[in-house]
Amino acid sequence: MAVKKLAASKPVIASFSAVAASGGYYAACPSRKIFANPGSITGSIGVMTQFANLRDLLQKVGVDFESLTTGKLKDAGSPFKPLSDEQRAYLEGLLADLNQQFSGDVATERKLSKEAIALIADGRAMTGARAKALGLVDELGGQEEAIDYLKTLTNLTGDVPLFKGPKKKSSLFEKLSTALSLPDPKGLALLSTLSGLLDGQTLPQGR
C-alpha cells in the first residue's frame, strides 16, 4: 500500500537482487517498471500458514491444555489440539480469500488477465528470466540498469546518492574487535563495561 501511494505521486522503479518473492514481489507490483536479474528468485504468488501440533509431545511429559473460547473457530490452529474438519475448512477459505486478493492485485498492477495470473498463483517461485516471459517483471538487469532508467525518466544527471537502509547495529563481538584495534576513549569505555560484566556487575542502563 505504501509503494502504491508513493507511485501515485512519484515514479517508482523496483530492482530485484537475489530474492524478491511472495511479499517482496507483492510490494513491488505498483512500481512503474520492475527490473530483475535473470537469476533473481521471484514470483511465489500465494498464501500459506503452518501450525505445529504439540499435543502428543506434551502428553508424554504429563502436560494437558484446555482452551476456553467464545466460538468454536476462535482457537483454530491451536498447537495443543488437531484441527477439526470445520476449522480446517474455515482456514482454507481464509487462505483462498487472501490468495484471491493477492493474485487480483498482481493482475491489476501488472495489467494482466486474472486467468493468466490464476495459472501461476499457486505459490511457485521462478527466475527473473521466467518472470519476464510471463509479464511479472519488465526488464532484465540489476540496480545499475534500474538507476539509469530512473535517471532518464526524471532527467537526472551525474551520480545518484543511494540510501542503503538503516544502519546495522554492531554485535558485542564486533564492538569488542573495534575496541581492541582502535583504543580510543569509546573503545576503552567499552572494555571497562565488558570487564564489569565479566566480574558480575550490572551493566549501566542505556549502554
Side-chain angles (χ1 to χ4, degrees):
M1 185 62 71
V3 175
K4 188 172 184 176
K5 288 182 178 179
L6 180 62
S9 58
K10 298 179 183 293
V12 176
I13 309 300
S15 174
F16 295 167
S17 183
V19 180
S22 195
Y25 179 74
Y26 200 173
C29 273
S31 303
R32 182 175 301 192
K33 192 176 287 285
I34 298 176
F35 286 77
N37 292 311
S40 297
I41 300 301
T42 188
S44 191
I45 301 169
V47 183
M48 66 170 286
T49 187
Q50 295 177 320
F51 302 104
N53 190 330
L54 306 177
R55 185 185 61 170
D56 291 345
L57 174 62
L58 294 178
Q59 287 179 345
K60 288 181 179 180
V61 295
V63 177
D64 200 3
F65 182 87
E66 293 186 7
S67 178
L68 301 177
T69 71
T70 56
K72 53 189 173 182
L73 298 178
K74 187 62 179 178
D75 64 346
S78 168
F80 305 110
K81 64 180 183 179
L83 288 170
S84 67
D85 291 341
E86 186 176 10
Q87 288 176 334
R88 186 179 298 277
Y90 155 68
L91 291 173
E92 288 176 345
L94 186 62
L95 292 179
D97 186 13
L98 291 171
N99 189 52
Q100 186 175 15
Q101 293 180 41
F102 189 171
S103 58
D105 288 343
V106 171
T108 298
E109 298 297 342
R110 298 301 303 167
K111 296 178 175 57
L112 298 169
S113 69
K114 291 185 178 180
E115 292 75 19
I117 296 299
L119 293 175
I120 57 174
D122 55 5
R124 73 181 71 182
M126 62 192 73
T127 64
R130 179 62 176 159
K132 183 178 184 301
L134 293 172
L136 296 181
V137 304
D138 300 294
E139 301 288 346
L140 295 181
Q143 187 180 68
E144 185 175 332
E145 287 76 15
I147 291 174
D148 287 343
Y149 175 80
L150 183 59
K151 288 170 64 175
T152 300
L153 187 67
T154 56
N155 296 316
L156 291 175
T157 59
D159 294 333
V160 176
L162 298 179
F163 174 64
K164 299 183 180 299
K167 186 176 180 180
K168 177 184 175 183
K169 291 185 178 180
S170 299
S171 67
L172 178 61
F173 178 78
E174 291 171 331
K175 290 179 179 178
L176 180 58
S177 297
T178 302
L180 291 174
S181 61
L182 298 172
D184 57 10
K186 289 185 178 180
L188 294 175
L190 175 61
L191 290 177
S192 176
T193 300
L194 181 60
S195 177
L197 177 62
L198 294 177
D199 289 338
Q201 299 177 10
T202 301
L203 282 175
Q205 294 295 320
R207 290 290 180 90

